[in-house]
Amino acid sequence: MFARLHRPFAAQVLIALGLGIALGLVARQMRPVADGTPNWLTSTLQTIGSTFVALLRVIVVPLIVTAIIVSVANLNQVSNAARLAGQTLLRFAITALIAVSIGIGLGLLTQPGRNSSVDAAAAAVPQTTGSWWDFLLGLVPASFLGLQTSADADQVCFSDDYDAADDEIAQALLEHVER
């Protein structure tokens, strides 16, 4: 039974891409809820997408470091190591330039956020912040070492002996991080 369901990886990626585009178009047509918040499909797709991107950011650094270590370990002749390193850096720079050019071009072409339903009043500081779901999403690190700082007040833990001095320290810390 499972043999018939197995598809090549490229086919799985193309199916997922088509499904993502279709769901995105459906979510765009659904419009926001009456109180102005995004509909359930938009929220779900945004959560899945941001978590996926965060996990990709986590895996990039170890993959690059591992590839470099394996490449250096597999060098048979040290005499051509400098030439190989130069070619590798040149190819990396060309690939990065192509990727950045494609990203900028697509951004200019599609103008993401142009049809956003957010107005200036909705962009103000919210009265309430965070939920358990936001807390769980905050547990996904932004990088391999998890060293990226964040000014999310949701992640500040308060103890029983919380006082005004702690509030001043936390506020000063948040202001410093936001700069």
Side-chain angles (χ1 to χ4, degrees):
M1 176 179 172
F2 290 110
R4 293 187 332 168
L5 295 177
H6 180 71
R7 300 195 191 302
F9 182 68
Q12 292 176 17
V13 169
L14 291 175
I15 290 169
L17 181 64
L19 184 62
I21 290 172
L23 286 174
L25 291 173
V26 168
R28 187 175 184 183
Q29 295 299 320
M30 286 177 65
R31 304 284 180 214
V33 182
D35 63 356
T37 58
N39 60 55
W40 67 271
L41 184 57
T42 302
S43 300
T44 303
L45 292 175
Q46 183 178 9
T47 302
I48 292 170
S50 60
T51 304
F52 180 71
V53 169
L55 290 173
L56 281 178
R57 287 182 180 165
V58 168
I59 199 69
V60 164
V61 173
L63 282 176
I64 290 173
V65 169
T66 304
I68 291 171
I69 290 172
V70 168
S71 298
V72 169
N74 288 334
L75 283 177
N76 293 333
Q77 297 176 349
V78 180
S79 62
N80 66 356
R83 183 174 56 87
L84 180 63
Q87 288 177 349
T88 302
L89 288 175
L90 179 66
R91 288 180 180 162
F92 177 76
I94 291 171
T95 305
L97 178 66
I98 292 170
V100 168
S101 300
I102 290 172
I104 291 173
L106 286 175
L108 292 173
L109 180 68
T110 61
Q111 297 178 356
R114 181 185 49 175
N115 296 327
S116 176
S117 61
V118 177
D119 58 351
V125 177
Q127 297 297 325
T128 61
T129 58
S131 65
W132 280 104
W133 187 248
D134 293 331
F135 172 74
L136 292 175
L137 290 177
L139 295 177
V140 177
S143 67
F144 175 64
L145 299 176
L147 297 177
Q148 182 176 357
T149 59
S150 165
D152 292 336
D154 306 336
Q155 297 176 355
V156 177
C157 297
F158 298 106
S159 63
D160 292 331
D161 58 345
Y162 175 79
D163 60 3
D166 292 334
D167 187 33
E168 291 174 9
I169 293 170
Q171 189 63 28
L173 180 62
L174 284 175
E175 289 173 2
H176 176 72
V177 169
E178 288 175 349
R179 279 188 265 147

